[in-house]
């Protein structure tokens, strides 16, 4: 699960944001990091979160 904290729920804008950030975060996703995607930032937390 990747929480999205975006200012718009417009499917086109959500898709655009995901296409912008996910290719750059492939290794973090594979490693099982927790991601939170916002309009202008992405938070990455290595799991397990203590």
């Amino acid at each position: 699960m990747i929480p999205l904290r975006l200012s718009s729920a417009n499917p086109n804008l959500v898709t655009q944001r995901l296409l912008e950030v996910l290719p750059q975060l492939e290794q973090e996703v594979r490693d099982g990091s927790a991601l939170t995607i916002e309009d202008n930032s992405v938070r990455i937390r290595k799991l397990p979160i203590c």
Side-chain angles (χ1 to χ4, degrees):
M1 180 171 78
I2 300 174
L4 303 175
R5 293 185 175 182
L6 303 174
S7 59
S8 173
N10 178 304
N12 292 328
L13 295 175
V14 171
T15 301
Q16 179 182 352
R17 183 67 177 138
L18 289 172
L19 290 173
E20 287 173 1
V21 300
L22 287 180
Q24 301 168 35
L25 302 171
E26 182 178 352
Q27 191 58 50
E28 286 83 355
V29 171
R30 288 180 188 267
D31 292 343
S33 296
L35 306 177
T36 301
I37 298 175
E38 299 177 347
D39 287 324
N40 296 312
S41 65
V42 177
R43 256 190 274 166
I44 303 167
R45 295 192 175 147
K46 301 239 185 240
L47 295 177
I49 298 172
C50 299

